[in-house]
Amino acid sequence: MKKLLIVLILILTVLGAGYLAFYSNKYDFTGKGANGAVSLKSFEGKNKVIYFGYTTCPDVCPATLGILSGVLNELKRDDIVVIFVTLDPERDEAKNVDEYAKYFYPNSYGIVLDDLPKVAKNYGVKYQKVLLEKSAIEYSVAHSSSLYVLDKNDKFVAEISNLTAQNIKKTLENLK
């Protein structure tokens, strides 16, 4: 009887791990937005462009979001949302991250993730806190800069790392 119980537990464990491996979405996340808890499912039925950055980024983040905004304004599609994920949860709060994202594009959402290291790894995002001696801001965050595109069913479509308006537009035009 004891052996049967152990075998049954092992089988259920293997089946559970298999289910998670095949049916969970590695791109899913949980976090906090300006209006409370969010996950990838919060944007169900929308195409998603996800960008990882931070609000005090002096150049890369505003440049990328500006280019993306220009493309989205040109495409005039209401089925695409921008999700801006902060890489600086020490300084960024959900409300100011959301305001920052909406400054560039109204149909944007700023998010502070519950498990930034795990989600960043799943997306392939590289980032590192860099201490700045004798600086008023104390540190910056060095980070990779790519746009991650997911379709309306939360399936990964593309990583855009060559961030020209033409490359972004070409990818987004092909979304259904």
Side-chain angles (χ1 to χ4, degrees):
M1 181 70 167
K2 193 174 187 180
K3 287 183 182 181
L4 180 62
L5 183 60
I6 291 172
V7 169
L8 185 60
I9 290 172
L10 285 173
I11 290 172
L12 290 175
T13 302
V14 169
L15 289 175
Y19 174 81
L20 288 175
F22 289 108
Y23 295 104
S24 67
N25 185 342
K26 82 173 196 172
Y27 298 106
D28 201 4
F29 56 79
T30 58
K32 185 175 180 189
N35 297 316
V38 293
S39 71
L40 200 54
K41 293 292 178 206
S42 302
F43 308 99
E44 198 167 47
K46 298 284 187 178
N47 291 301
K48 293 155 278 295
V49 179
I50 302 172
Y51 184 68
F52 292 78
Y54 64 111
T55 62
T56 56
C57 180
D59 47 20
V60 176
C61 295
T64 301
L65 292 171
I67 293 168
L68 176 60
S69 174
V71 169
L72 290 170
N73 286 328
E74 185 180 329
L75 292 176
K76 295 181 169 86
R77 290 184 56 172
D78 60 0
D79 66 333
I80 300 175
V81 297
V82 174
I83 302 169
F84 180 73
V85 178
T86 185
L87 293 171
D88 189 7
E90 288 181 45
R91 286 190 287 220
D92 288 341
E93 295 179 8
K95 184 178 178 188
N96 72 307
V97 174
D98 193 66
E99 288 171 356
Y100 181 82
K102 283 178 176 20
Y103 172 80
F104 291 96
Y105 189 69
N107 201 13
S108 296
Y109 301 87
I111 296 174
V112 179
L113 292 175
D114 292 338
D115 191 352
L116 176 60
K118 177 186 172 195
V119 175
K121 180 180 178 187
N122 288 346
Y123 277 83
V125 175
K126 308 287 187 225
Y127 69 101
Q128 181 177 352
K129 186 176 177 179
V130 179
L131 297 177
L132 303 172
E133 292 183 28
K134 300 178 183 176
S135 171
I137 62 171
E138 298 177 16
Y139 68 90
S140 69
V141 180
H143 63 91
S144 55
S145 186
S146 291
L147 298 171
Y148 303 91
V149 182
L150 281 70
D151 70 12
K152 293 178 181 180
N153 297 314
D154 301 335
K155 300 292 184 227
F156 181 82
V157 173
E159 175 183 350
I160 307 170
S161 58
N162 184 359
L163 298 171
T164 65
Q166 296 82 8
N167 285 338
I168 296 169
K169 184 176 180 184
K170 181 180 172 185
T171 302
L172 298 184
E173 282 177 328
N174 292 323
L175 291 172
K176 296 177 183 174

